[in-house]
Amino acid sequence: MIMILSGAGLSAESGIKTFRDHDGLWENYDVMQVCSTQGWKADRALVTQFYNARRKDLEDKKPNRAHKALAELEKKYPGQIYNLTQNVDDLLEKAGCEEVIHLHGTLRDLRCEACSHIWDVGYSSQEYSENCPVCKSDSIRHNVVMFGEAAPMYSRIYEAIQKCQLFIAIGTSGQVIDIVPIASEFQHSILINPKREEYMTSFGSKGRYIDAYFEHFLQSGAGEAVDEMMRIIEEFMDA
Ligand SMILES: [Zn+2]
């Protein structure tokens, strides 16, 4: 089986920006205010407004070659792919993927704080008049994991490590989820990233690049790397 872990670099070519593209400010919002539990407690209206705008932004965004390649993989090798993403956009789904594991939540959904029910609102805004369709609570929030709260889907990472023999990291700098210990569990691995990143541990830099821990390093944007990635995957699956 194949474990795929994608990050912001997968969606960058589709015009999706993340807070890492900005310097503490994201579309004029303070990142810590809109992406942390403290900010959420301090001003729910502001945070809601922010996610409403991000959700609306998604509507006209289109999947790129890399999203489409991952959808193709799912069809070609049914039940063989763990498609894990740190992205909260819906471009993998737009490309035709049906089994995406969103590690950091999803922009298109709202969540009930009372019963944890999650439902799709498309690209529409949260208006404060919603009630949970299941328990009728009016305590409703966006469905994006914030700094300061648990990410329950992370358990799927460990599950994938146990079950898969090939690990592919696409467009992630390894700053949020450390991909080096994951890659170290695999004999076969591919890293796709336009930039060489130094491996920073909590003790500081080890003076090595992250790509040193991978079997293959494709130093390019996600879309550009697709053909070579597919070639390596086919070779692996045929072996
Ligand atoms: Zn509920």
Side-chain angles (χ1 to χ4, degrees), residues 25-224:
L25 281 180
W26 187 358
E27 310 286 348
N28 292 322
Y29 289 85
D30 179 312
V31 166
M32 277 320 280
Q33 213 168 358
V34 295
C35 301
S36 74
T37 50
Q38 295 99 302
W40 173 241
K41 276 179 204 138
D43 193 344
R44 292 175 72 119
L46 180 93
V47 176
T48 299
Q49 191 184 56
F50 173 77
Y51 286 107
N52 283 347
R54 301 284 73 72
R55 192 177 302 118
K56 188 81 197 138
D57 270 355
L58 280 187
E59 191 163 11
D60 62 352
K61 295 288 189 288
K62 295 190 173 56
N64 62 49
R65 284 188 75 203
H67 296 106
K68 289 175 191 162
L70 296 184
E72 243 174 75
L73 269 185
E74 195 184 279
K75 288 190 181 64
K76 190 164 181 189
Y77 304 111
Q80 299 287 302
I81 312 284
Y82 267 85
N83 194 357
L84 303 143
T85 187
Q86 301 170 71
N87 298 341
V88 295
D89 65 59
D90 62 345
L91 292 178
L92 283 167
E93 287 85 352
K94 274 184 180 168
C97 290
E98 285 175 17
E99 290 169 53
V100 185
I101 301 162
H102 284 275
L103 299 166
H104 295 150
T106 44
L107 269 175
R108 281 185 47 161
D109 297 318
L110 294 180
R111 192 199 318 167
C112 170
E113 290 183 300
C115 76
S116 300
H117 178 67
I118 291 166
W119 68 101
D120 185 359
V121 294
Y123 306 102
S124 60
S125 289
Q126 181 183 348
E127 305 286 4
Y128 298 105
S129 51
E130 294 88 355
N131 286 93
C132 170
V134 173
C135 76
K136 309 296 173 211
S137 164
D138 60 1
S139 194
I140 307 301
R141 58 165 280 183
H142 63 82
N143 186 43
V144 174
V145 175
M146 296 180 279
F147 298 124
E149 69 183 350
M153 285 305 201
Y154 276 25
S155 64
R156 304 297 302 276
I157 297 176
Y158 306 107
E159 189 187 309
I161 292 171
Q162 304 275 309
K163 293 194 175 159
C164 299
Q165 297 80 39
L166 170 63
F167 171 48
I168 306 173
I170 306 176
T172 170
S173 61
Q175 282 170 19
V176 179
I177 295 172
D178 190 347
I179 54 177
V180 166
I182 300 176
S184 305
E185 298 281 335
F186 286 84
Q187 194 184 343
H188 301 292
S189 56
I190 308 172
L191 173 65
I192 298 166
N193 210 29
K195 229 177 102 205
R196 292 193 84 189
E197 310 264 4
E198 253 188 283
Y199 184 41
M200 305 291 286
T201 66
S202 45
F203 308 105
S205 170
K206 271 185 173 169
R208 280 185 88 176
Y209 287 98
I210 288 180
D211 52 86
Y213 298 88
F214 283 78
E215 183 187 18
H216 303 276
F217 176 40
L218 311 181
Q219 188 173 2
S220 71
E224 212 182 311

